[in-house]
């Protein structure tokens, strides 16, 4: 049987509800033999995932999903096969997480101003194992406290861009995110381009050293996949794919939704060696 991979997954080291053990068990049940753990702005979930994967013989490749912003749009840059102990990367990730904590304090303040006064920083931070705290955690608490009826409403009412408790993150551009991954010896890939909507910037991202496009993603129509396959070929980019599963937080995807041939992982490995 040919090997299958999922190159976009999250754990509770960022904003998934899944522990590394649960993630790996689900991967095993779904016949996956290779996984990239791509938590938001942290690499801390990788080692425990490797530990959990050992008994199933599942390969874990180094990954991350870096937040960035350009022209007011949030852009996610996936990084693969980099040195996760790289000094400058470690410093940058620490800085990004500190900014996330400060931002969370501001969002909680804003909610207080809107009459929701019973949310404490500690309980939001308790939902993740690291400092990579974000809006999904706050949405979960808003729901728990009965301030909204569900997770989606938390974004619609308060947390989405333009809503009254929204606070933007930090001003790292996608070009800087790409540079960071490159400096750490890895490959930068544009995450879910069909959701991000910055196709016009792809040529400049390629010039900046971006090496791939995440073409295979849940809930994307065939013709859109075909379009991005074409774009990847045109720019000589690697193609990746993954479920972007977040456990219970993201209801419209789960582990097993996207399984890509292992040959694409081998292409990543070849590219990073070159
Ligand atoms: P943060 O990194 O704190 O800005 O949170 C970003 C995450 O929030 C994204 O990765 C999504 O999982 C989630 N998210 C962003 N916008 C929405 C939305 N409108 N509805 C539901 N989830 C969202
Ligand atoms: Zn996430
Ligand atoms: Fe993303
Ligand atoms: Fe993601």
């Amino acid at each position: 049987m040919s090997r299958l991979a999922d190159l976009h997954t999250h754990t509770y080291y960022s904003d998934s509800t899944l522990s590394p053990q649960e993630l790996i068990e689900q991967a095993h049940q779904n016949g996956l033999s290779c996984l990239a753990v791509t938590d938001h702005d942290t690499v801390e979930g990788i080692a425990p995932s490797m530990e959990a994967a050992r008994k199933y013989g599942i390969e874990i490749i180094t990954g991350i999903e870096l937040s960035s912003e350009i022209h007011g749009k949030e852009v996610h840059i996936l990084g693969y096969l980099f040195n996760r102990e790289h000094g400058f990367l470690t410093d940058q990730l620490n800085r990004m997480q500190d900014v996330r904590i400060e931002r969370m304090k501001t969002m909680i303040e804003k909610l207080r101003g809107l009459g929701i006064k019973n949310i404490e920083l500690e309980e939001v931070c308790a939902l993740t194992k690291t400092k990579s705290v974000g809006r999904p955690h706050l949405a979960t608490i808003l729901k728990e406290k009965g301030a909204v009826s569900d997770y989606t409403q938390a974004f619609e009412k308060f947390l989405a861009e333009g809503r009254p408790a929204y606070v933007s993150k930090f001003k790292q551009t996608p070009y800087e995110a790409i540079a960071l991954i490159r400096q750490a010896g890895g490959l930068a890939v544009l995450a879910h381009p069909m959701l991000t909507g910055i196709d016009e910037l792809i040529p400049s991202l390629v010039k900046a050293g971006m090496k791939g496009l995440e073409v295979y993603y849940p809930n994307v129509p065939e013709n859109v996949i075909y379009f991005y396959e074409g774009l990847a070929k045109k720019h000589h980019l690697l193609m990746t794919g993954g479920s972007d599963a977040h456990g219970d937080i993201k209801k419209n995807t789960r582990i097993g939704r996207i399984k890509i041939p292992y040959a694409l992982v081998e292409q990543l490995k070849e590219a990073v060696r070159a």
Side-chain angles (χ1 to χ4, degrees):
M1 209 178 73
S2 56
R3 299 183 65 187
L4 297 167
D6 179 344
L7 297 183
H8 191 155
T9 68
H10 295 273
T11 71
Y12 65 17
Y13 284 82
S14 65
D15 60 1
S16 168
T17 57
L18 298 177
S19 67
Q21 291 72 20
E22 290 165 331
L23 172 71
I24 298 303
E25 267 161 38
Q26 291 187 12
H28 175 70
Q29 283 158 13
N30 282 282
L32 290 159
S33 66
C34 174
L35 223 57
V37 176
T38 54
D39 275 317
H40 300 281
D41 307 328
T42 177
V43 293
E44 289 181 49
I46 297 173
S49 299
M50 285 177 167
E51 183 62 39
R54 201 169 303 149
K55 80 168 176 192
Y56 297 112
I58 291 177
E59 176 186 4
I60 303 294
I61 71 166
T62 304
I64 195 163
E65 185 171 18
L66 290 178
S67 311
S68 73
E69 198 183 294
I70 190 161
H71 306 148
K73 255 189 194 164
E74 179 147 0
V75 178
H76 289 172
I77 300 291
L78 293 160
Y80 294 111
L81 300 171
F82 52 88
N83 170 12
R84 66 182 200 276
E85 282 156 17
H86 186 266
F88 184 61
L89 176 71
T90 307
D91 291 347
Q92 287 298 98
L93 295 181
N94 280 332
R95 198 176 66 84
M96 287 160 89
Q97 294 193 15
D98 289 341
V99 174
R100 277 181 173 276
I101 301 272
E102 288 308 311
R103 169 194 189 227
M104 186 54 67
K105 287 183 193 162
T106 312
M107 288 198 282
I108 290 171
E109 277 306 312
K110 284 197 167 195
L111 287 170
R112 283 189 203 283
L114 295 162
I116 299 165
K117 299 181 190 288
N118 59 345
I119 296 182
E120 302 300 331
L121 179 66
E122 293 67 31
E123 62 186 334
V124 184
C125 291
L127 294 179
T128 170
K129 292 279 175 202
T130 63
K131 292 189 289 176
S132 197
V133 65
R135 287 179 289 161
H137 304 114
L138 189 52
T140 303
I141 296 287
L142 277 165
K143 182 183 167 233
E144 263 178 40
K145 298 270 160 121
V148 293
S149 57
D150 61 28
Y151 176 84
T152 306
Q153 202 192 38
F155 278 89
E156 285 169 357
K157 257 180 109 168
F158 299 114
L159 305 178
E161 258 175 73
R163 303 308 300 150
Y166 176 75
V167 178
S168 75
K169 261 184 299 226
F170 28 75
K171 302 298 174 202
Q172 172 174 251
T173 66
Y175 304 103
E176 290 166 321
I178 291 166
L180 189 56
I181 298 297
R182 292 185 75 193
Q183 281 175 64
L187 302 167
V189 172
L190 179 61
H192 40 66
M194 55 296 280
L195 301 184
T196 307
I198 53 150
D199 289 355
E200 72 284 1
L201 296 181
I202 288 176
S204 70
L205 296 174
V206 174
K207 253 195 204 135
M210 185 179 77
K211 295 294 184 201
L213 279 186
E214 186 180 47
V215 171
Y216 308 104
Y217 193 79
N219 311 312
V220 176
E222 279 294 312
N223 61 321
V224 175
I225 289 181
Y226 185 72
F227 171 79
Y228 285 104
E229 284 175 338
L231 213 51
K233 278 180 197 135
K234 180 176 159 193
H235 293 288
H236 308 288
L237 292 170
L238 298 157
M239 292 185 268
T240 71
S243 65
D244 201 5
H246 281 68
D248 295 334
I249 267 185
K250 217 172 195 169
K251 301 278 186 216
N252 60 354
T253 184
R254 54 180 176 71
I255 304 295
R257 277 295 301 273
I258 298 288
K259 299 177 185 180
I260 64 168
Y262 190 77
L264 295 179
V265 179
E266 281 168 341
Q267 287 172 18
L268 286 178
K269 288 181 177 178
E270 260 165 51
V272 85
R273 273 196 296 268

